[in-house]
Amino acid sequence: MHQLNNEQQRAVAHRDGPMLVLAGPGSGKTSVLVNRVKRLIEVEKTDPHNILVLTFSKLAAEEMHSRFDDLVSTSYPVTFGTFHAVFYHILKRQGLYRTGEILTRNKKIELLKITAGRKGLKPFMDISDAERMVELIGYRKMGDKAFLADISGDDKELLEKLYDPYVLLCKKEGLIDFDDMINDCLKALKSNSLILNKWQERYRYILVDEFQDIDLRQYEVMKLLAGKDANIFCVGDDDQSIYSFRGAQPEVMKRFVKDYPEAKQVKLKLNYRCPGEIISHAGRLISHNKDRFDKTQICINSDKVSKGDKEESSIKGYCIEHKCFGSVGEEAVYCINIIKRITAEAADGKYESIGVLYRNSRSVDMLEEFLKRESIPYTRKDRKSDFYDKDWVKDILAYIRFAYGEEEQLFRVLNKPYRGLVRESISHRPLIKEEVLKYYEGSVYLKEGYDACVKLFKDIEYIKGLNCYAGVNYILKGIGLYRYIENNYFADRSRDDIEVIIGEIRERARQYSTFKEWLADIERGSCTEKGNSSINNRIELMTIHGSKGLEFDNVFLIGLQEGLFPGKRNMGIKQMEEERRLFYVAMTRAKKRLWLMGIKRDNYGKRESRFIGEAGFKTETVGSIL
């Protein structure tokens, strides 16, 4: 890791009160966060128990925790977690949740379809329409009146008919989603001073990663927890706010400055990732957005991008290139040829560190077929396999997730297979294991339950010491879940069919050495399918949203057409600014080379994306390297 630069040192050394750190792509924001936590503990003598580090995905929280552990010489009890996990933890500790079931995307769609059927409405035939309505329900729960005011009349009418009965059905099913967690936590902190004081005392210093992705309700919870001391350290970049569909409101960053006029600001200007040419064009593009903090980036790395000393290299010296094709087929052929040349010139001939990014999944279908035809290994991360949404698969994974700290998964494994245990034995507080055992040990009538609990927790501990393949086999055979799955999910199937079906999860487990690695890939939606190459030697195909936080030596940004990117539903001023930020994020994933690829026209009359011109390129073919 490089030494901290002057701006990073200023941020790390900040003591008390609010601070906003504007951190562009590749500017070392994670280094700032973990070094600040280290300084708070080892220099300022802050109790690590009082430090809370918030981010937006479980994977990001785990990676930051790991970076922090690598930085310090001892283990400190700092809380690293997602907003949702921390809010859920607060609610559970206060006894305000009596359920362990959290709504998945597929379950939301299922309940939405049931609701529509009960209301006599036309069922959702197109999955994208159902997802759109789930998104609108989320905005309704958020109370985002401005967004809802812009939706079409048909959407608005349908939302009004479905919202109340859908919410009621979820409550009857005992299911909650992330929006419910935020709303309930905000309500609890606002309405009960004892609860608020308790958690203000617990979390004296709050650090927020990816601050641009916060929504107003999360911001309000954060402010309440920070209290009058306002020890809030926020790191973010409004130019990288791309999650409005999850409720992100980048304008909250400007509200922070207004709410805390005394807040210090630091701008991390140095970019350690991208060559200067990419920074220049990306900066030119994002400057078209008007509602943003004024900032610039400076390149640290040299623009030299070639590997080795091959003067004859066909791609030597190129950093960024724009190409415009007559069809998606031409685009796919071009990508394949460049990928072959990149790997041919690599010292080890591997496919790693090549990312193909796109706004719309339509853009990559043709390329995927060409990759298959050429036997080039890849993974497509936007196609999250329905395999992991199957109930019997969730049952298996619940054992693994519980073993690795997801306590709410105990509800799912409690009686799978049947153990005669009851939910009332769980008080929904952190000491689940001890409290479950205590519930059963006091009565001779519950002796069998106590014995079952002891065995269950021994099995869980045993699983933690196994590799993925052995662990799955133990869950199926050693614990007996195979027979449960057979009887409850596949009663009408032959034994041979069941063995083939269940055998698929064994094969997937075989491809991973650790459960942590497997669960992380499941969360990303990127598990390796059978027949692909090894996990590290493959091209990554993914949406731009999925690429956030990642980087590649070589990036192909494809499908750059009006109607696809920017999307046809995103032509308003606010939506267009987010589309432009998305393009900016895509460009700045590249560490060495970037290809921008558009189509002149297709059968639907779409022209090349306006963002090509805004980034400083002409709309005809330039700088060919074929």
Side-chain angles (χ1 to χ4, degrees), residues 275-471:
E277 187 180 348
I278 291 176
I279 293 173
S280 175
H281 284 283
R284 186 167 177 173
L285 167 84
I286 202 64
S287 68
H288 286 77
N289 277 4
K290 304 306 178 188
D291 186 16
R292 59 186 290 264
F293 285 91
D294 182 34
K295 66 185 88 70
T296 57
Q297 281 209 298
I298 301 171
C299 171
I300 286 296
N301 293 331
S302 167
D303 275 4
K304 184 180 174 71
V305 299
S306 58
K307 266 190 175 182
D309 297 314
K310 294 185 177 181
E311 292 299 330
E312 73 280 6
S313 169
S314 60
I315 58 175
K316 182 178 175 62
Y318 282 92
C319 178
I320 183 169
E321 181 187 2
H322 159 237
K323 290 284 288 183
C324 190
F325 302 93
S327 69
V328 291
E330 291 179 15
E331 181 184 64
V333 169
Y334 185 87
C335 285
I336 293 293
N337 287 336
I338 297 299
I339 287 169
K340 286 181 176 179
R341 292 185 181 186
I342 290 172
T343 54
E345 293 174 11
D348 51 13
K350 289 187 175 182
Y351 294 97
E352 54 195 355
S353 208
I354 299 176
V356 180
L357 312 182
Y358 40 90
R359 176 67 175 94
N360 187 295
S361 59
R362 267 184 53 193
S363 304
V364 77
D365 290 340
M366 181 73 74
L367 176 60
E368 184 177 21
E369 290 304 311
F370 277 67
L371 290 170
K372 290 177 181 176
R373 188 183 307 170
E374 297 289 333
S375 298
I376 296 175
Y378 72 93
T379 185
R380 182 170 173 180
K381 291 190 174 183
D382 63 310
R383 184 174 289 159
K384 185 173 180 178
S385 174
D386 289 339
F387 178 81
Y388 291 103
D389 290 324
K390 299 178 188 300
D391 284 337
W392 68 271
V393 176
K394 287 181 179 179
D395 291 343
I396 295 171
L397 293 177
Y399 275 93
I400 299 168
R401 294 184 188 279
F402 181 53
Y404 284 86
E406 294 186 27
E407 295 172 347
E408 63 272 17
Q409 296 294 337
L410 181 58
F411 289 103
R412 193 170 191 108
V413 306
L414 206 60
N415 281 312
K416 295 178 180 179
Y418 182 71
R419 298 182 177 91
L421 305 179
V422 293
R423 284 192 169 210
E424 287 73 14
S425 62
I426 303 172
S427 66
H428 304 266
R429 294 195 298 274
L431 299 176
I432 283 183
K433 177 178 177 180
E434 290 78 3
E435 292 179 354
V436 172
L437 292 173
K438 186 176 180 180
Y439 177 88
Y440 285 101
E441 68 182 350
S443 171
V444 294
Y445 300 105
L446 300 177
K447 179 67 168 58
E448 287 185 11
Y450 178 79
D451 292 341
C453 280
V454 170
K455 184 178 187 310
L456 170 60
F457 290 123
K458 282 184 177 179
D459 285 337
I460 293 296
E461 286 300 314
Y462 183 66
I463 290 168
K464 290 170 70 173
L466 301 175
N467 63 40
C468 291
Y469 184 73

Side-chain angles (χ1 to χ4, degrees), residues 130 225 245 254 307 376 443 449 477 597 605:
L225 291 175
F245 65 93
K254 290 191 173 180
K307 266 190 175 182
I376 296 175
S443 171
K477 296 295 187 180
M597 301 187 175

Side-chain angles (χ1 to χ4, degrees), residues 263-279:
K264 302 292 193 299
Q265 282 193 40
V266 172
K267 296 180 180 180
L268 304 184
K269 296 179 291 186
L270 302 184
N271 185 309
Y272 293 89
R273 177 191 298 155
C274 306
E277 187 180 348
I278 291 176
I279 293 173

Side-chain angles (χ1 to χ4, degrees), residues 18-30:
M19 171 171 270
L20 177 62
V21 179
L22 294 167
S27 61
K29 66 180 180 63
T30 303

